[in-house]
Amino acid sequence: QKEVEQDPGPLSVPEGAIVSLNCTYSNSAFQYFMWYRQYSRKGPELLMYTYSSGNKEDGRFTAQVDKSSKYISLFIRDSQPSDSATYLCAILNAGGTSYGKLTFGQGTILTVHP
Amino acid sequence: NAGVTQTPKFQVLKTGQSMTLQCAQDMNHNSMYWYRQDPGMGLRLIYYSASEGTTDKGEVPNGYNVSRLNKREFSLRLESAAPSQTSVYFCANGENTEAFFGQGTRLTVV
């Protein structure tokens, strides 16, 4: 079983739609939960991170973590064509024998069309 | 201030050849990583180094070796390249909650 599983998509939505991206994970060690965005032929860049269950908002983006079910989500409100990219969830192990290990999901390609 | 620098950007190898991918950072971060990215597979961790002097296997370490030469540099070596190692390779460094990525190396093994 992969440590991080991500709904693969791809997703194609009209401008203004609400987008939901989802991942599950298997490790219960103390961790940070992250979302990265990757444009074509570029390296990933951090969008948001959190370490606790609940919601964290940043503008049109909301990261949600449910530690009891090992489920993380990213919601994008009022999606724009400039949001078209690959979105990757990631888990950073902040304790235990795998301290420092940063594992990514498979990525979801999102296309927002005008 | 370049952040994370990977060399080379592009490389074509013949099956069985060896090569080393270089990665250097000027951000003074403890953790460094090597990933490969293939279509539909996301970023798969090859090796990581949580601090200078330590290295650990990731998800797909077979066929690769790494060396954390010092805090700045983390190299990835392919001893005998195989077509299955055709991929885009990313080096990254990290501190606390953010990882910073290099621009990637596109490697083709024929």
Side-chain angles (χ1 to χ4, degrees):
Chain A
Q1 181 189 7
K2 288 178 66 68
E3 287 190 37
V4 183
E5 296 272 7
Q6 182 170 355
D7 291 347
L11 287 178
S12 180
V13 301
E15 184 174 355
I18 296 174
V19 176
S20 171
L21 304 165
N22 305 295
C23 291
T24 58
Y25 64 95
S26 58
N27 197 327
S28 296
F30 179 68
Q31 294 157 324
Y32 288 95
F33 308 95
M34 305 170 180
W35 284 95
Y36 280 77
R37 179 172 60 193
Q38 184 178 24
Y39 291 112
S40 182
R41 293 184 171 267
K42 301 287 188 182
E45 294 178 323
L46 182 70
L47 264 180
M48 300 180 68
Y49 80 89
T50 184
Y51 59 87
S52 58
S53 282
N55 293 348
K56 181 177 182 180
E57 278 193 32
D58 185 0
R60 296 184 293 110
F61 298 88
T62 299
Q64 187 177 81
V65 174
D66 182 346
K67 287 189 176 183
S68 62
S69 56
K70 297 191 176 71
Y71 198 83
I72 60 176
S73 299
L74 178 71
F75 298 96
I76 307 173
R77 292 187 300 278
D78 188 25
S79 55
Q80 303 295 309
S82 59
D83 294 329
S84 298
T86 298
Y87 290 80
L88 301 119
C89 60
I91 308 285
L92 173 66
N93 283 6
T97 56
S98 298
Y99 172 79
K101 185 178 182 182
L102 179 61
T103 306
F104 284 81
Q106 299 95 312
T108 302
I109 298 173
L110 172 67
T111 302
V112 181
H113 49 87
Chain B
N1 183 355
V4 181
T5 303
Q6 285 183 239
T7 54
K9 289 188 175 63
F10 301 93
Q11 183 71 50
V12 178
L13 287 179
K14 293 183 179 178
T15 298
Q17 285 185 317
S18 63
M19 80 161 294
T20 299
L21 279 65
Q22 307 286 355
C23 178
Q25 57 142 337
D26 61 7
M27 306 173 83
N28 202 36
H29 289 163
N30 284 313
S31 298
M32 296 188 77
Y33 307 89
W34 276 106
Y35 294 91
R36 60 177 290 174
Q37 188 168 37
D38 305 290
M41 303 293 286
L43 286 161
R44 291 188 290 171
L45 182 62
I46 305 171
Y47 274 91
Y48 68 105
S49 170
S51 61
E52 184 180 354
T54 68
T55 60
D56 287 284
K57 294 179 180 179
E59 182 184 356
V60 289
N62 291 345
Y64 306 95
N65 285 301
V66 290
S67 179
R68 183 75 184 267
L69 303 168
N70 46 55
K71 194 170 186 180
R72 288 190 65 247
E73 298 170 289
F74 188 40
S75 61
L76 179 72
R77 183 160 178 84
L78 287 70
E79 290 291 350
S80 179
S84 61
Q85 293 178 305
T86 294
S87 188
V88 180
Y89 291 84
F90 285 100
C91 175
N93 71 4
E95 195 71 32
N96 297 326
T97 56
E98 184 167 3
F100 299 86
F101 285 79
Q103 75 274 38
T105 297
R106 292 186 173 271
L107 175 67
T108 302
V109 183
V110 297

